[in-house]
Amino acid sequence: MSNHPDKPGFLKRLQAKWKLDSLFQVVMVLIVFACTGFTILFIKNPILDFFGVEKGGFINTVVYLLLVLPLYQIFLLIYGFLFGQFRFFWEKEKQIIRRIVKPFKGKKSKS
């Protein structure tokens, strides 16, 4: 297999997709995702244990969705701030919130 010289690399494609200014910023965003993932990996089980939830059951899934996923979003912002990428992650959070709220907003009737 040969590399196509006209096809941008993985980091360049991420830079374009995320509309970032530099490859350094792409790397910082990836580091934020990695740190957040590792943090959630380490705190997920203690949180579930604290609530006495058995692993693998329906309650586990509900507690995970209600507690752990919001914590993931919070840690993205914290690490984003620490690595100088808060604005990027804040914009992503606002997009997520808009997608969650959109179905609950009433449809506006056309006059």
Side-chain angles (χ1 to χ4, degrees):
M1 288 190 171
S2 64
N3 278 342
H4 299 290
D6 56 338
K7 184 179 178 184
F10 177 69
L11 294 178
K12 282 282 192 191
R13 290 193 312 259
L14 284 178
Q15 181 181 355
K17 179 181 178 177
W18 290 339
K19 298 176 179 85
L20 297 173
D21 298 329
S22 67
L23 288 179
F24 176 77
Q25 193 176 6
V26 174
V27 171
M28 289 294 103
V29 166
L30 292 174
I31 289 172
V32 169
F33 279 122
C35 291
T36 302
F38 277 116
T39 300
I40 293 301
L41 179 71
F42 286 114
I43 67 171
K44 179 183 78 160
N45 286 335
I47 289 172
L48 296 176
D49 291 344
F50 176 79
F51 288 99
V53 177
E54 290 185 29
K55 291 168 183 58
F58 175 75
I59 300 295
N60 179 321
T61 303
V62 171
V63 171
Y64 181 83
L65 290 173
L66 292 176
L67 292 176
V68 178
L69 285 182
L71 280 174
Y72 180 87
Q73 303 306 318
I74 292 167
F75 276 107
L76 273 178
L77 293 174
I78 292 168
Y79 283 119
F81 174 77
L82 293 174
F83 285 93
Q85 301 306 313
F86 181 82
R87 187 176 348 181
F88 172 81
F89 287 99
W90 182 240
E91 291 303 317
K92 294 297 180 194
E93 291 299 323
K94 289 192 291 190
Q95 288 175 358
I96 290 168
I97 291 167
R98 281 192 288 268
R99 286 183 189 146
I100 291 170
V101 170
K102 189 175 182 178
F104 297 104
K105 285 187 173 180
K107 291 186 177 183
K108 297 179 181 177
S109 60
K110 292 183 180 179
S111 307

